[in-house]
Amino acid sequence: MKVAIITDVHGNASALRAVLKDIDQREEIDRLYCLGDMVGIGPDTNEVLELLFSRNDLSMITGNHDEAVLAIINGEPHPDGHIHVKEHHEWIAERMHWKFINELGKLPRTLHHIINDHSVYFTHYHMESKKVDEHISRNPYSKIVEPSLNNLEMLFKDQHHDLIGFGHHHPIHLYKNDRTIFLNPGSLGCNGEPVAPYAIVSIETAGIQVKLEKIAYDNTSFLSSYQSLQVPEHEFIIRAFHGGQQA
């Protein structure tokens, strides 16, 4: 079985279309997994959610940005740890089409499958077991650690799986010990160059193999939309999440 894994689309429909086109040209891909933060940062909220929810070969989980935006829509507390982006989340919430709100709210935080005798676990980022059911306003997601095998072993010490797929921290992570592959394919929508990363994972009885992909795309119109739509803090966002690229 081969699966494609994407994460952290962050409202970038141009990057998502490029990756989905590449995936759909590969007949061997059996299923697609999206590991959270579909919205926030980029302005293409409805386009991204339409592309994802319209597929019948896709499983999704929520991320902290998805849940923080939903909290605003539902009149629930917004997380204090995200107070610096509350205005931005409000902007996203005001523009999200109503048809996606219930669908986002139904998504789980984690997925666990046994595929060809291998335990596969997907999460946006590590959560302590006692916090798995806590509201996003209580900041259930762990703090980001620098990429290293030792840090990931410590972070996920309570999870015992053959593959742990996650997102949240935008750089690519691919580490392996004698039991577990730790995989973050990197943020699909937030990069310092016009490329969108994702991973193809072959899960066979004999073992698990990971192939990292990067798809080039034209991000000119996407970058220019920050200014034309007057996205809150758009100048900071382009510097911090898109490497200061110019449209």
Side-chain angles (χ1 to χ4, degrees):
M1 182 174 183
K2 285 190 177 182
V3 302
I5 300 176
I6 65 174
T7 190
D8 294 84
V9 178
H10 281 299
N12 185 341
S14 298
L16 180 59
R17 287 191 190 95
V19 166
L20 293 179
K21 180 180 179 180
D22 189 74
I23 290 171
D24 289 340
Q25 290 173 344
R26 299 172 182 265
E27 296 180 358
E28 74 272 19
I29 303 297
D30 298 295
R31 190 148 193 88
L32 172 61
Y33 289 91
C34 181
L35 307 188
D37 276 2
M38 289 74 74
V39 306
I41 299 179
D44 303 336
T45 302
N46 294 317
E47 294 91 335
V48 163
L49 295 177
E50 184 67 44
L51 286 166
L52 294 173
F53 279 118
S54 65
R55 298 183 69 95
N56 57 17
D57 61 346
L58 171 69
S59 297
M60 276 190 286
I61 58 178
T62 57
N64 52 298
H65 282 267
D66 310 311
E67 294 181 24
V69 170
L70 281 178
I72 290 172
I73 292 172
N74 294 327
E76 299 165 354
H78 186 265
D80 290 341
H82 292 54
I83 191 65
H84 58 294
V85 292
K86 186 175 182 181
E87 180 186 2
H88 178 77
H89 284 165
E90 290 172 338
W91 189 91
I92 298 292
E94 289 170 1
R95 288 157 178 79
M96 185 184 293
H97 194 286
W98 61 266
K99 68 180 180 180
F100 299 123
I101 296 171
N102 286 338
E103 294 303 313
L104 270 179
K106 293 176 185 176
L107 295 179
R109 279 180 169 167
T110 65
L111 290 170
H112 179 219
H113 300 305
I114 302 297
I115 302 175
N116 289 330
D117 298 326
H118 295 290
S119 178
V120 176
Y121 178 75
F122 296 122
T123 181
H124 185 61
Y125 209 59
H126 179 266
M127 289 174 282
E128 296 178 38
S129 57
K130 65 182 180 181
K131 293 185 177 181
V132 168
D133 296 321
E134 286 192 354
H135 190 266
I136 186 62
S137 62
R138 298 180 65 85
N139 295 320
Y141 294 98
S142 298
K143 292 182 179 179
I144 286 174
V145 298
E146 288 303 307
S148 75
L149 177 58
N150 182 67
N151 284 344
L152 292 172
E153 287 175 330
M154 292 296 296
L155 186 67
F156 290 102
K157 62 182 182 293
D158 57 341
Q159 297 291 342
H160 307 287
H161 305 282
D162 299 296
L163 172 68
I164 296 178
F166 59 99
H168 191 53
H169 195 185
H170 292 178
I172 294 169
H173 303 52
L174 180 56
Y175 298 94
K176 182 179 181 179
N177 59 23
D178 57 2
R179 166 64 197 271
T180 303
I181 295 172
F182 301 93
L183 170 64
N184 174 353
S187 174
L188 183 151
C190 294
N191 280 283
E193 55 184 334
V195 295
Y198 78 99
I200 298 174
V201 182
S202 300
I203 308 171
E204 308 296 342
T205 304
I208 299 175
Q209 301 294 324
V210 177
K211 183 180 181 183
L212 299 173
E213 300 285 350
K214 280 189 176 182
I215 307 303
Y217 71 102
D218 183 354
N219 66 355
T220 305
S221 61
F222 170 72
L223 291 174
S224 64
S225 70
Y226 278 103
Q227 172 67 37
S228 63
L229 296 173
Q230 287 298 291
V231 178
E233 302 291 338
H234 59 269
E235 293 179 352
F236 167 78
I237 288 173
I238 289 176
R239 287 198 309 271
F241 296 103
H242 301 294
Q245 297 175 83
Q246 299 296 315

